[in-house]
Amino acid sequence: MILVTGATGTVGRPLVRALRARGAAVRALVRDADSAPAEWDDGVEPVVADLNDAGSLAAAADGVAAVHLLTPVGPDAARQARKVLDAAAEAGRPKVVLQAAIGVRRRTTPVRFFDAHTAAFDQLEGSGLPWTVLAPNGFLQNFLGLLPALRTGTLALPAGDAAVSYVDARDVAEVAAAVLTTDGHEGAVHEVTGPEALTHHEIARQFGGVLGRDVAYRATTPEQARAALLGSGVPAWQADGLVELHGLYATGAASAVTDTVPRLLGRPARSLATFLTDHAALLPSGPDTPQENR
Ligand SMILES: NC(=O)c1ccc[n+]([C@@H]2O[C@H](COP(=O)([O-])OP(=O)(O)OC[C@H]3O[C@@H](n4cnc5c(N)ncnc54)[C@H](OP(=O)(O)O)[C@@H]3O)[C@@H](O)[C@H]2O)c1
């Protein structure tokens, strides 16, 4: 039995799907019994728990052989990860697969979103639990949240002109499923990227091709980006984190392409072109986050 935290999210949904495709029994953590997706079959046992509630996590982790630890982006994430790892340690000796991010080991360019991952990594290393860390680059799915602006012909980010090897979150999920269900990954940090590093100019051009219009990338300053995010209602903690993250991208530190997806899955990583093809019917005017492609 594999406990999946974040089971209803961008990574978690395709992860549950991928684990079922591998025949694994899944205990899927949900905050609310009604949020269990209709696609979950009898091999998925929803368990109602909250990452802020240690008691519910102890019950969720009871008897599992492996834990997929994913925390949402937010200021509570480090505390939440600690609670999950404490529950895992109490539950026995399950294998833990930590869903982190690139930069989990590099502390030179601070990005607050990564702090929880670094803290969880530190705790894991001292825990005696068998662990593997997945360190994915930014998700292509993030661009779905920018569709309203892309449809008006603009991609404005404080990411400079460096290339980024964005990864499809479905590949991250399928790598996680492979690591959770096979041996030989203990103590490994797998950096998970797409098959190519693209500048945001090129990303804008490819979105334009699907949207049927020119889309231009404009590199904004951190101050412009922060003001725009705050103006659109993004909380200050998250706005500052997004500016930090794109500042990291601007240094070129997120441009390396790794072989993790082909090595673990035996096929190429999904490209931006594939991502756009898979979402093509929905991009011009459809819903911003198509559930079936998450
Ligand atoms: N986006 C990127 O580019 C990127 C890149 C690398 C790494 N990451 C990392 O990936 C993680 C985010 O993954 P994601 O995009 O799949 O997240 P997501 O789509 O935002 O989903 C978050 C999941 O966490 C659940 N959740 C939120 N608060 C909870 C709570 N208090 N108790 C229990 N469950 C709770 C949500 O459940 P509900 O459905 O109930 O809300 C949902 O299943 C972060 O750690 C981030 O640093 C992201």
Side-chain angles (χ1 to χ4, degrees):
M1 180 70 81
I2 297 171
L3 175 64
V4 174
T5 63
T8 54
T10 307
V11 172
R13 284 180 65 116
L15 170 58
V16 172
R17 222 175 279 147
L19 287 170
R20 290 302 299 133
R22 289 171 174 267
V26 176
R27 188 176 293 164
L29 194 152
V30 291
R31 284 195 277 186
D32 169 357
D34 294 339
S35 63
E39 71 185 22
W40 288 355
D41 65 10
D42 289 348
V44 185
E45 173 190 311
V47 59
V48 177
D50 194 295
L51 295 174
N52 299 310
D53 174 9
S56 69
L57 294 173
D62 187 38
V64 298
V67 175
H68 175 259
L69 170 52
L70 179 147
T71 46
V73 171
D76 297 330
R79 280 187 291 276
Q80 294 171 335
R82 186 172 347 111
K83 286 189 169 74
V84 173
L85 291 176
D86 289 346
E90 284 295 311
R93 211 170 167 272
K95 162 157 97 176
V96 176
V97 175
L98 170 65
Q99 196 64 247
I102 54 151
V104 69
R105 270 187 166 154
R106 299 182 211 120
R107 298 168 204 230
T108 45
T109 308
V111 177
R112 68 193 60 198
F113 299 160
F114 300 168
D115 290 349
H117 306 318
T118 306
F121 193 3
D122 289 345
Q123 185 177 348
L124 266 181
E125 285 188 304
S127 70
L129 294 167
W131 57 263
T132 306
V133 173
L134 301 184
N137 209 341
F139 301 161
L140 287 172
Q141 277 74 3
N142 296 347
F143 290 98
L144 297 175
L146 301 177
L147 275 174
L150 288 163
R151 290 188 189 115
T152 68
T154 302
L155 175 63
L157 292 170
D161 291 321
V164 178
S165 55
Y166 285 103
V167 61
D168 192 312
R170 294 171 297 177
D171 285 345
V172 177
E174 288 168 31
V175 165
V179 171
L180 283 159
T181 55
T182 60
D183 294 330
H185 304 284
E186 194 172 326
V189 179
H190 293 310
E191 297 211 337
V192 193
T193 75
E196 59 203 341
L198 300 173
T199 66
H200 290 84
H201 296 284
E202 175 60 15
I203 292 168
R205 194 192 64 74
Q206 290 198 36
F207 266 94
V210 181
L211 295 171
R213 58 160 306 149
D214 286 342
V215 178
Y217 170 62
R218 185 164 50 84
T220 54
T221 66
E223 294 74 22
Q224 288 169 331
R226 186 174 194 274
L229 287 162
L230 294 177
S232 63
V234 175
W237 186 90
Q238 188 149 0
D240 287 333
L242 286 166
V243 170
E244 289 164 2
L245 177 65
H246 289 93
L248 173 75
Y249 292 166
T251 68
S255 62
V257 173
T258 68
D259 68 352
T260 302
V261 172
R263 189 162 44 80
L264 270 59
L265 302 180
R267 59 155 179 84
R270 291 175 171 96
S271 63
L272 174 59
T274 299
F275 175 84
L276 292 172
T277 300
D278 291 349
H279 293 78
L282 302 134
L283 292 180
S285 58
D288 287 348
T289 309
Q291 296 287 319
E292 67 273 22
N293 284 322
R294 285 174 52 170

